[in-house]
């Protein structure tokens, strides 16, 4: 088939993605790599061919080899075009993540895609927001199967994927199975809601250590259902982690919730003039001071035109209440003036003797509070200095520390340096050999 390469949509570690257009709107996306470096794309093509037919997996239309203007030959995969970009774009274009109601729909769509992948005997191995594409029909689809592999392989090709989304068993034992995809999926859901990754920014070595020994935090802003859902995804032991099939039955992504909840028509006004949609159940009309508006008004403009007319308001009458004249100022009685409190530059000043003493008492209490705080901080610093200077370890103590370090799956050669720097303990240690 003939096609023309358009604008660049993105670049990855193994390929470049361009739009394929007819001169107006993009028709497809083409993922390309030099022919001599196309092994990853050829592998992806073989996986996508077996996974087609699922609406939650990116569409695949074929592959070919082209010769570019510079004479270089490129291998190309023709894929479905995602109008809204990646899930990563949606998350980070918002100020603090996407609404949980939207995250529910996206999570269900991703689970349906993962269930299809796992049912066909594959593991994606690189589930992350950048590899999830968003479409105009408010659906998301799983893409980028360059690292996908058959289920059941253990440690034969090492640790693969993106560190931020790796599961503990992948880091510690090189295991990549369906549970590792579910862990990565849980990290993606947490990032959708919070707008931030589950692990803080750090060096790769430190990050892998945290994944191997730590536990990611579930976003506090999530609902009770959402927190329970993530607790099933982010279980450290892969055998205890829920599968994609099990997670689809969780209330957080149950179909009635993920599809938007109640399907009954409930109208919400868009402005103070948007009142025509509300009607009394008995009459179907709303009467507003002689102006009738019905629920079949076609637009806000029509309703505004109904309200606007040539009748002028009637300002005559003797039932007006004078609040303050144009040249008048508020008048206080002598008693009100005596009790009135004035705030000037943060100081409380008043003519009342009782209120004046109360203000003075506030300052005394504030001053005493500051003194107590200073004494408390000083005692903490003194204790800190005492602990730092009094802890001394001998060579025999170091053996104990090595044993403890080995129980944390840390290499002993790096242990001592970490212990000397205080990385593994909450206080600095002074280490010297026995006499």
């Amino acid at each position: 088939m003939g096609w023309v390469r358009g604008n660049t949509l993105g670049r990855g570690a193994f390929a470049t993605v361009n739009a394929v257009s007819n001169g107006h709107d993009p028709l497809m996306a083409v993922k390309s790599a030099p022919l001599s470096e196309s092994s990853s794309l050829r592998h992806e093509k073989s996986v996508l061919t077996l996974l087609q037919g699922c609406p939650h997996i990116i569409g695949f239309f074929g592959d070919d080899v082209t010769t570019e203007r510079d004479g270089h030959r490129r291998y190309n995969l023709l894929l479905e075009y995602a109008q809204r970009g990646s899930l990563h774009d949606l998350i980070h274009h918002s100020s603090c993540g996407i609404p949980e109601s939207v995250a529910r729909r996206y999570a269900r769509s991703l689970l349906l895609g993962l269930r299809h992948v796992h049912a066909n005997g594959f593991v994606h191995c690189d589930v992350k927001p950048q590899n999830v594409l968003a479409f105009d029909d408010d659906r998301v689809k799983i893409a980028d199967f360059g690292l996908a592999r058959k289920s059941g392989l253990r440690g034969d090709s090492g640790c693969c994927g993106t560190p931020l989304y790796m599961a503990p068993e992948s880091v510690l034992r090189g295991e990549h199975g369906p549970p590792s995809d579910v862990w990565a999926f849980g990290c993606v859901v947490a990032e959708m809601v919070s707008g931030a990754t589950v692990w803080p920014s750090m060096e790769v070595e430190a990050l892998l250590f945290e994944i191997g020994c730590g536990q990611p935090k579930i976003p506090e802003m999530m609902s009770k259902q959402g927190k329970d859902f993530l607790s099933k995804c982010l279980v450290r032991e892969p055998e205890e982690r829920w599968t994609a099939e099990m997670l689809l039955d969780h209330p957080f992504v149950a179909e009635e919730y993920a599809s938007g909840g109640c399907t009954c028509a409930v109208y919400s006004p868009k402005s103070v003039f948007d009142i025509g949609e509300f009607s009394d159940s008995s009459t179907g009309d709303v009467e507003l001071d002689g102006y009738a508006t019905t629920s079949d008004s076609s637009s806000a403009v029509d309703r505004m035109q109904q309200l606007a007319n040539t009748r002028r308001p009637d300002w005559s009458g003797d039932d007006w209440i004078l609040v303050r004249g144009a040249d008048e100022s508020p008048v206080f009685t002598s008693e009100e003036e005596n009790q009135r409190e004035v705030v000037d530059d943060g100081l409380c000043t008043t003519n009342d003797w009782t209120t004046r003493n109360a203000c003075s008492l506030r300052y005394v209490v504030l001053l005493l509070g500051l003194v107590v705080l200073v004494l408390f901080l000083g005692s903490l610093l003194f204790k800190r200095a005492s602990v730092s200077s009094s802890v001394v370890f001998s060579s025999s103590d170091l053996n104990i520390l090595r044993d403890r370090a080995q129980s944390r799956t840390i290499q002993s050669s790096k242990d001592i340096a970490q212990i000397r720097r205080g990385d593994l303990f909450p206080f600095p240690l002074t280490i010297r050999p026995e006499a």
Side-chain angles (χ1 to χ4, degrees):
M1 62 178 293
W3 53 272
V4 178
R5 194 185 307 275
N7 296 331
T8 300
L9 301 176
R11 298 179 186 276
F14 304 104
T16 302
V17 180
N18 293 82
V20 175
S21 67
N22 58 1
H24 300 285
D25 300 323
L27 301 176
M28 293 182 295
V30 56
K31 191 172 184 180
S32 308
L35 186 61
S36 60
E37 304 171 7
S38 61
S39 59
S40 177
L41 285 187
R42 292 180 183 276
H43 170 70
E44 183 172 1
K45 179 246 181 180
S46 65
V47 176
L48 282 173
T49 301
L50 297 174
L51 295 179
Q52 287 306 288
C54 176
H56 307 285
I57 302 295
I58 192 71
F60 170 63
F61 305 124
D63 63 326
D64 67 1
V65 177
T66 57
T67 302
E68 303 301 309
R69 294 179 180 178
D70 57 6
H72 292 94
R73 304 185 72 197
R74 298 183 69 84
Y75 179 74
N76 309 289
L77 294 183
L78 298 172
L79 305 170
E80 188 176 7
Y81 175 74
Q83 301 89 348
R84 300 177 63 194
S86 70
L87 181 58
H88 178 269
D89 298 330
L90 297 184
I91 294 173
H92 293 280
H93 286 167
S94 62
S95 57
C96 54
I98 62 180
E100 187 171 313
S101 59
V102 179
R104 287 176 183 237
R105 296 199 300 273
Y106 289 173
R108 181 173 181 82
S109 185
L110 288 176
L111 281 175
L112 290 170
L114 285 178
R115 181 179 67 175
H116 182 73
V117 172
H118 298 163
N120 281 273
F122 286 98
V123 185
H124 187 282
C125 293
D126 198 19
V127 176
K128 60 181 178 180
Q130 292 88 336
N131 291 340
V132 177
L133 301 182
F135 293 79
D136 281 343
D137 57 1
D138 209 20
R139 283 188 303 159
V140 294
K141 300 186 181 185
I142 303 175
D144 200 342
F145 288 82
L147 293 180
R149 60 173 68 181
K150 295 292 289 184
S151 302
L153 301 179
R154 293 189 51 156
D156 57 337
S157 54
C159 190
C160 68
T162 303
L164 276 172
Y165 306 93
M166 283 184 183
E169 65 271 15
S170 301
V171 172
L172 296 175
R173 299 182 294 276
E175 296 178 4
H176 298 277
S180 61
D181 278 351
V182 172
W183 175 281
F185 162 78
C187 295
V188 171
V189 173
E191 187 172 344
M192 277 196 286
V193 176
S194 67
T197 57
V198 295
W199 301 107
S201 177
M202 60 181 77
E203 296 293 332
V204 175
E205 293 81 3
L207 173 61
L208 295 179
F209 176 78
E210 282 293 328
I211 296 173
C213 301
Q215 181 70 29
K217 292 184 178 179
I218 295 176
E220 289 294 331
M221 73 284 295
M222 290 194 77
S223 64
K224 185 177 180 180
Q225 276 187 352
K227 291 178 180 178
D228 183 71
F229 179 78
L230 284 186
S231 70
K232 312 301 185 193
C233 302
L234 301 177
V235 180
R236 288 190 55 80
E237 295 302 325
E239 297 82 7
E240 300 175 9
R241 203 173 300 150
W242 281 26
T243 64
E245 185 72 44
M246 296 166 65
L247 289 169
L248 281 168
D249 293 328
H250 193 282
F252 182 73
V253 293
E255 193 163 6
E256 61 269 24
Y257 296 105
S259 60
C262 178
T263 58
C264 56
V266 178
Y267 182 79
S268 177
K270 301 177 179 64
S271 71
V272 294
F273 297 108
D274 198 7
I275 58 178
E277 303 295 338
F278 294 100
S279 62
D280 184 88
S281 59
S282 60
T283 65
D285 296 334
V286 177
E287 196 74 24
L288 295 176
D289 193 23
Y291 303 96
T293 123
T294 62
S295 60
D296 60 353
S297 298
S298 59
S299 68
V301 174
D302 294 334
R303 293 193 291 274
M304 287 290 292
Q305 289 175 348
Q306 292 175 10
L307 291 172
N309 56 64
T310 58
R311 192 173 71 180
R312 295 177 179 275
D314 183 11
W315 302 109
S316 62
D318 299 328
D319 54 347
W320 292 91
I321 299 176
L322 181 64
V323 177
R324 183 186 299 179
D327 299 326
E328 296 180 6
S329 58
V331 178
F332 297 94
T333 64
S334 58
E335 183 178 356
E336 291 173 336
E337 182 68 31
N338 192 47
Q339 297 294 333
R340 187 165 55 95
E341 183 176 276
V342 181
V343 179
D344 182 20
D345 295 333
L347 298 177
C348 176
T349 62
T350 178
N351 294 327
D352 184 67
W353 183 85
T354 304
T355 308
R356 191 163 56 242
N357 284 347
C359 292
S360 300
L361 183 59
R362 289 194 203 111
Y363 291 118
V364 172
V365 172
L366 178 62
L367 182 61
L368 288 175
L370 290 174
V371 171
V372 171
L373 179 62
V374 170
L375 292 175
F376 176 72
L377 293 176
S379 65
L380 288 180
L381 292 174
F382 176 77
K383 290 180 180 180
R384 174 79 177 182
S386 300
V387 171
S388 300
S389 59
S390 61
V391 180
V392 179
F393 282 77
S394 64
S395 297
S396 59
D397 293 326
L398 288 181
N399 293 328
I400 298 176
L401 290 177
R402 283 197 192 92
D403 294 337
R404 292 180 180 175
Q406 289 174 355
S407 68
R408 290 172 58 97
T409 67
I410 309 170
Q411 296 300 319
S412 60
S413 60
K414 301 178 67 175
D415 251 356
I416 306 304
Q418 288 182 308
I419 292 170
R420 291 182 186 275
R421 293 197 307 269
D423 291 349
L424 300 182
F425 297 91
F427 48 83
L429 306 178
T430 304
I431 303 175
R432 64 189 181 202
E434 291 177 323

